[in-house]
Amino acid sequence: MLSRGGLLALVGAASSVAASTYKVPSKPGIGGEPFDGFVSYSIEFSSFPDFAGNRSNPNTFSYNLINNLGALGGTRPYIRVGGNTQDYALYNASQEPALVGVVDPSRSPDYPTTIHIGRAYFESYRTWPGVRFSNGLNMGLGGTRPAGWQTLVDTVPLACEALGGRLYTWAYGNEPDLFSTSAQGPVRPPAWDEGAYVWQWLNATAEIRRQVDRFCPEMGPPRFMAPSFAGVDNRLSARKTWEAGLDQNEDIEFFSTHNYISGATSPGVTLQGTLMNHAVTTQSVDRHTAEYASIFPDAPDSAPPLIFGETNSLYNQGKPGLSNTFGAALWGVDFNLYSASVGVRRVHMHQGTNYRYQAWQPISTDKGSVGTKAPYYGSIAVAAMVAPSNKHPVRISSIPLSSDVHEAAYAAHSSGQLARIAVINMHAYNTTVDGAGLEPLPSPDARRSRRYTFAVEGVRDGQTVRVQRLLANGSDAITGITYDGWSYNWDLDRGKPVRLHNVTVGETMRVQKGEVSVQVPDSSAVLLTFGQS
């Protein structure tokens, strides 16, 4: 990690690059107000017992990391339990283990595709007090096998019992737009279309409603996140499902869509060109907001709010050297803040045991050791940026910069006043050639620092500005990462924040002549918080 002297050298380096003065919007846009728990997670259904543990052995490491985000952002993350494996899970009432899964490498080397869960699976919901969940139900097999339908009937009461008022939505089916084309094996025929999907959805959600009315009527009518499609241009159209009556019962609480910037094995994917690239991120997010606007053009206020129910960097569970790096953490900051600025109300970053893009590895396995991963630090920075100020919600807006490729900036307003500015410098600085560990690069003095100056209308001269930095030795780093000098590593205090003493902290500056200026080293980010004069 950067030493105290190293950071001071970077931010004051002669190699710094000057920039224009950028105008911060005096008032936020009408969108851009994230929900509480904006920084949230989606956990693979088959991995959830690893992440949460059970009543006799709760995973306190995971809970510590979740509580860190709650302390910064004001609300703990909301947890969506789902993913591909929810559509493989069948219930076995006589099974003692929480989950028994069989991995078929020809279908997926990363998760089981034959899964049976027992009653003990639902103990995991009880291990994180104060956390709210959505529960994933099996649509993939639920519409084709009697055991799949019976799993829905049997497990709705178990989820009710385990969660009570902490269940905030149900999720019936994961990415049904891929059911007829799935690389893991199609579970619907080629003729599967929007009409067939909607009929099955309405039939099953009616059964869920019957089970809730019977076993947990105090929870009220069930609410759903849907359609949980994998993308915008796949086999099924979200717009056509709405036209076919998907929400005819007006029980869809969130319009949930999934997004990945690219794929782990897609040609030409690089850290700088794909992830640390603001233009790629905006294009990807904008496709989803455009789809949403096309479905709800006339009544946006009454439409289910838009969320990313599952998202991360590279689908197929990420790629080593890309999805697990500090550069991916910087991408996560940009992706989340841009999403918030254009009206996405909550973002569930997906993860699973041994996944390459995970925020943390919950347990040790033969493929990886328990520990906090680089992307988690991106979540920390986002939580700090979107935190309510004096319990008033914030609105996030984008600050246009001279370049829209490798840098981005955002403003957070609260009660109409500027509260924070975030700057993400995504110009790559690797500690090894191409991040591949071939040979050391020249001295760290070669790392450039760029100056960003902002005109902050409405902020009094002399007002104190607090500076907090998201730092690592380079974009390809997978360890040695800090936010404002804090480490959340497993080996220090099981994920609880630990202040390090070899990183510069406590930086402040003052607004002068209506401007504030900050230097940001390549491959790092900074959060400016406006205090009192």
Side-chain angles (χ1 to χ4, degrees), residues 246-281:
L246 186 69
D247 196 27
Q248 69 180 38
N249 294 319
E250 298 183 347
D251 55 4
I252 296 178
E253 185 80 9
F254 303 103
F255 182 91
S256 174
T257 186
H258 297 181
N259 181 68
Y260 289 86
I261 295 298
S262 190
T265 60
S266 298
V269 172
T270 66
L271 194 56
Q272 180 71 96
T274 307
L275 296 183
M276 296 171 62
N277 188 315
H278 180 65
V280 171
T281 292

Side-chain angles (χ1 to χ4, degrees), residues 31-34 38 285 308 334-347 382 386 395-397 410:
E33 183 176 323
F38 174 78
V285 173
F308 282 127
D334 187 33
F335 176 86
N336 276 264
L337 294 182
Y338 183 73
S339 295
S341 76
V342 295
V344 179
R345 310 298 292 276
R346 185 175 288 137
V347 174
V382 175
V386 304
R395 290 183 181 270
I396 305 298
S397 53
Y410 300 90

Side-chain angles (χ1 to χ4, degrees), residues 162-318:
L163 284 167
R166 293 190 298 122
L167 191 150
Y168 83 103
T169 55
W170 301 87
Y172 181 57
N174 175 75
E175 300 180 354
D177 54 329
L178 301 182
F179 276 4
S180 64
T181 60
S182 173
Q184 286 75 44
V187 292
R188 293 294 187 276
W192 166 252
D193 62 11
E194 290 84 1
Y197 163 63
V198 169
W199 185 90
Q200 292 183 17
W201 161 272
L202 294 174
N203 184 51
T205 54
E207 179 62 27
I208 295 168
R209 191 175 302 110
R210 284 190 288 270
Q211 294 298 320
V212 171
D213 287 346
R214 179 181 178 187
F215 290 98
C216 44
E218 70 281 357
M219 293 178 63
R223 309 293 293 175
F224 299 91
M225 61 166 65
S228 299
F229 282 2
V232 175
D233 298 317
N234 290 322
R235 180 68 177 79
L236 302 184
S237 160
R239 179 177 57 81
K240 290 181 180 179
T241 66
W242 243 259
E243 293 171 351
L246 186 69
D247 196 27
Q248 69 180 38
N249 294 319
E250 298 183 347
D251 55 4
I252 296 178
E253 185 80 9
F254 303 103
F255 182 91
S256 174
T257 186
H258 297 181
N259 181 68
Y260 289 86
I261 295 298
S262 190
T265 60
S266 298
V269 172
T270 66
L271 194 56
Q272 180 71 96
T274 307
L275 296 183
M276 296 171 62
N277 188 315
H278 180 65
V280 171
T281 292
T282 59
Q283 291 167 10
S284 181
V285 173
D286 287 349
R287 294 173 68 241
H288 291 267
T289 56
E291 176 191 56
Y292 180 77
S294 74
I295 299 173
F296 309 107
D298 301 322
D301 291 339
S302 60
L306 173 64
I307 67 170
F308 282 127
E310 177 184 321
T311 187
N312 215 302
S313 56
L314 303 175
Y315 61 79
N316 290 339
Q317 294 73 59

Side-chain angles (χ1 to χ4, degrees), residues 46-76:
S46 62
S47 298
F48 183 54
D50 293 341
F51 276 82
N54 55 40
R55 282 185 291 183
S56 61
N57 187 27
N59 192 316
T60 56
F61 170 51
S62 292
Y63 194 47
N64 288 341
L65 295 178
I66 288 170
N67 283 331
N68 295 337
L69 293 164
L72 279 171
T75 305
R76 294 182 183 93

Side-chain angles (χ1 to χ4, degrees), residues 18 23 44 117 125 184 191 206 211 222 234 246 270 393 409 429 466 495:
K23 184 177 180 180
E44 188 65 53
I117 60 172
Y125 282 128
Q184 286 75 44
Q211 294 298 320
N234 290 322
L246 186 69
T270 66
Y429 176 78
R466 184 183 180 191

Side-chain angles (χ1 to χ4, degrees), residues 108-128:
S108 173
D110 293 315
Y111 50 73
T113 50
T114 299
I115 298 172
H116 289 87
I117 60 172
R119 188 181 185 90
Y121 182 91
F122 296 89
E123 282 190 22
S124 296
Y125 282 128
R126 300 177 183 272
T127 63
W128 296 343

Side-chain angles (χ1 to χ4, degrees), residues 337 380-387 394 396 410-412 420-422 483 527:
L337 294 182
I380 285 286
V382 175
M385 179 67 172
V386 304
V394 299
I396 305 298
Y410 300 90
R420 304 176 196 94
I421 293 174
Y483 174 74
L527 187 67

Side-chain angles (χ1 to χ4, degrees), residues 327-374:
L330 296 174
W331 164 81
V333 179
D334 187 33
F335 176 86
N336 276 264
L337 294 182
Y338 183 73
S339 295
S341 76
V342 295
V344 179
R345 310 298 292 276
R346 185 175 288 137
V347 174
H348 292 263
M349 303 297 286
H350 193 54
Q351 54 182 337
T353 307
N354 300 322
Y355 287 9
R356 275 72 66 187
Y357 52 49
Q358 63 188 171
W360 68 92
Q361 171 79 348
I363 60 172
S364 290
T365 71
D366 58 354
K367 294 182 178 180
S369 300
V370 60
T372 312
K373 306 301 181 181

